């Protein structure tokens, strides 16, 4: 009775093993037949009721069936594993004879490129290129530039103050202060660098942007020198004459002070979000260095005079390449950057 049951179970299990179409179906057969609570385990239990003279024989049959079914399961499992491997190899093949794509070279950021171009121009004119820290003392960023603590001009630039009384420099003008101390008169210097302002961003304003400061101090420096210098600079950058206008501007560290605007090259002057629909973009404020600034820099204003300017380098890059939103420049978007 138990023997017949065993034979029929083995036959049906054999068939199910061969017929299983997925590893999951096969696993189900394994559990049902060979599992701890499976059919063979049940037969093992029922052996207790087999007459003693038949027990050894049926026990042998039971073990043989177990071994045989184990082997059948394993062989079917191996078939599934081989099928899976082939499928993977088919889908993941690699044609090693294809030409390699090669390394993709990086490129300098457009701001860096223009900055380097300008540094070369100025170096060729005998001008020193200076660097200053992005974290500045309040004295260098404001006081030494004729902006004492209660001066309303401090509100012209929204400042990121640090806990130790220092600030993130709001402009590159503090490098003028460092330049006067380092070089003394006569001096010709530029200082490109990153500056920070705690202000709302829009298509032409960033909280972090680049300026390029310039300062010349010598005997009898006049506005004519300043204009010549700035025209040379713009011609070199744009490779052609561009339309600019000069209007009075107030900065405590220059007297007289001017705003130099460039006709918007994004819209040709007809008005767009970059020029706030006015047709002009503020690019390069400038002026003759205030006697107080020279004096605080250890230079006698009776003997020496100078001019200074603060070029908006990021805006200049926008004008040069026709970029209509300043935020693209620091977006890190490779689709934008790869165009340069
Ligand atoms: C200054 O920062 C003065 N230190 C410049 C100066 C130097 C004047 C020497 C006289 C003598 P202003 O805040 O206007 O000035 O900024 C200078 C230029 O930086 C602007 O003309 C503009 O081109 C650029 N700029 C100002 N704010 C931003 C901003 N948020 N985002 C991008 N560019 C800006």
């Amino acid at each position: 009775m138990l023997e017949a049951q065993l034979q029929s179970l083995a036959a049906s299990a054999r068939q199910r093993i061969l017929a299983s179409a997925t590893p999951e179906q096969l696993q189900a057969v394994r559990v049902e037949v060979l599992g701890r609570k499976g059919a063979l385990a049940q037969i093992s239990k029922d052996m207790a009721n087999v007459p003693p003279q038949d027990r050894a024989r049926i026990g042998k049959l039971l073990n043989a069936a177990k071994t045989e079914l184990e082997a059948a399961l394993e062989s079917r499992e191996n078939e599934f594993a081989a099928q899976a491997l082939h499928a993977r190899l088919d889908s993941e093949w690699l044609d090693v004879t294809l030409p390699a794509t090669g390394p993709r070279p990086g490129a300098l950021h457009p701001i860096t490129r223009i900055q380097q171009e300008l540094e070369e121009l100025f170096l060729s004119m005998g001008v020193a290129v200076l660097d200053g820290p992005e974290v500045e003392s309040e004295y260098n960023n404001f006081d030494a530039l004729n902006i004492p603590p209660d001066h309303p001009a401090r509100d012209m630039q929204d400042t990121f103050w640090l806990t130790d009384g220092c600030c993130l420099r709001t402009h590159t003008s503090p490098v003028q202060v460092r330049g006067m101390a380092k070089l003394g008169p006569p001096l010709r210097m530029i200082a490109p660098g990153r500056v920070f302002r705690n202000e709302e961003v829009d298509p032409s304003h960033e909280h972090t942007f680049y300026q390029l400061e310039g300062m010349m101090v010598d005997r009898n420096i006049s506005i004519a020198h300043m204009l010549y210098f700035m025209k040379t600079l713009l011609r070199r950058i744009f490779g052609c004459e561009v339309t600019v206008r000069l209007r009075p501007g107030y900065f405590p560290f220059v007297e007289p002070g001017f705003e130099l605007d460039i006709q918007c090259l994004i819209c040709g002057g007809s008005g767009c979000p970059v020029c706030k629909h006015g047709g002009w973009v503020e690019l390069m404020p400038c002026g003759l260095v205030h006697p107080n600034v020279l004096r605080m820099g250890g230079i006698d204003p009776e003997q020496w005079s100078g001019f200074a300017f603060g070029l908006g380098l990021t805006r200049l890059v926008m004008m040069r390449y026709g970029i209509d939103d300043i935020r693209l420049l620091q977006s890190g978007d490779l689709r934008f950057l790869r165009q340069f």
Side-chain angles (χ1 to χ4, degrees):
M1 172 70 181
L2 197 60
E3 188 177 341
Q5 206 183 325
L6 181 60
Q7 275 167 358
S8 126
L9 174 76
S12 104
R14 236 178 265 129
Q15 216 176 14
R16 284 181 65 199
I17 290 170
L18 290 176
S20 41
T22 63
E24 291 73 25
Q25 282 179 10
L26 192 64
Q27 179 62 12
V29 179
R30 181 185 277 286
V31 172
E32 272 174 46
V33 179
L34 290 166
R36 267 197 310 129
K37 292 182 182 163
L40 284 181
Q42 188 54 48
I43 292 178
S44 273
K45 262 193 209 161
D46 295 346
M47 288 285 286
N49 305 325
V50 171
Q53 67 276 18
D54 292 338
R55 220 172 264 165
R57 187 173 52 80
I58 297 186
K60 249 192 195 167
L61 286 176
L62 180 63
N63 281 339
K66 228 188 221 172
T67 314
E68 185 215 329
L69 291 177
E70 285 275 14
L73 276 165
E74 197 181 317
S75 126
R76 189 78 184 113
E77 274 164 7
N78 288 342
E79 279 173 31
F80 282 131
Q83 274 170 18
L85 181 67
H86 277 116
R88 223 181 106 194
L89 289 177
D90 276 350
S91 69
E92 290 180 5
W93 65 274
L94 201 68
D95 185 351
V96 291
T97 62
L98 281 176
T101 48
R104 197 173 198 157
L108 291 178
H109 192 278
I111 295 181
T112 312
R113 272 174 47 187
I114 300 270
Q115 181 181 323
Q116 289 186 349
E117 212 175 283
L118 290 177
E119 284 177 12
E120 273 164 32
L121 166 72
F122 283 113
L123 282 171
S124 75
M125 291 162 75
V127 176
V129 179
L130 298 191
D131 200 12
E134 291 175 348
V135 172
E136 253 304 0
S137 66
E138 182 178 355
Y139 178 80
N140 283 346
N141 197 78
F142 294 111
D143 301 61
L145 292 167
N146 203 27
I147 320 177
D150 50 358
H151 197 289
R154 286 217 178 182
D155 298 336
M156 286 164 73
Q157 300 171 356
D158 293 316
T159 310
F160 287 111
W161 288 103
L162 305 176
T163 46
D164 56 1
C166 288
C167 61
L168 294 182
R169 65 178 175 189
T170 55
H171 49 178
T172 41
S173 298
V175 193
Q176 285 185 26
V177 180
R178 293 174 178 273
M180 285 187 285
K182 184 172 175 191
L183 304 173
L187 71 88
R188 301 170 191 185
M189 56 155 278
I190 59 153
R194 191 159 60 156
V195 304
F196 310 85
R197 290 191 196 171
N198 190 359
E199 61 180 54
E200 290 280 326
V201 296
D202 64 26
S204 56
H205 290 84
E206 258 290 9
H207 47 71
T208 303
F209 57 99
Y210 288 79
Q211 289 187 339
L212 185 139
E213 195 79 9
M215 186 189 213
M216 316 285 138
V217 176
D218 211 321
R219 301 202 190 266
N220 304 317
I221 289 282
S222 70
I223 290 176
H225 293 109
M226 183 179 86
L227 288 180
Y228 169 78
F229 198 90
M230 289 164 67
K231 271 191 179 160
T232 309
L233 176 68
L234 291 173
R235 204 178 303 120
R236 168 67 181 251
I237 294 165
F238 292 102
C240 61
E241 293 291 339
V242 285
T243 312
V244 295
R245 72 176 184 191
L246 204 60
R247 58 193 168 90
Y250 173 68
F251 300 91
F253 32 96
V254 286
E255 181 56 41
F258 302 94
E259 287 280 7
L260 184 139
D261 303 332
I262 180 172
Q263 193 169 60
C264 182
L265 296 177
I266 306 291
C267 61
S270 60
C272 69
V274 172
C275 59
K276 298 226 159 40
H277 304 282
W280 296 91
V281 176
E282 280 181 12
L283 188 67
M284 188 156 52
C286 52
L288 294 186
V289 184
H290 196 290
N292 286 349
V293 174
L294 289 174
R295 216 172 280 119
M296 278 186 274
I299 297 177
D300 180 359
E302 303 294 330
Q303 304 281 329
W304 306 93
S305 54
F307 69 82
F309 61 85
L311 169 68
L313 196 58
T314 308
R315 291 228 182 121
L316 178 86
V317 171
M318 292 174 73
M319 292 296 117
R320 163 112 167 228
Y321 292 114
I323 298 165
D324 62 5
D325 194 322
I326 196 168
R327 291 165 288 197
L328 286 167
L329 283 159
Q330 292 191 117
S331 63
D333 187 338
L334 290 179
R335 291 167 306 173
F336 167 74
L337 290 172
R338 285 205 178 110
Q339 299 174 68
F340 299 96

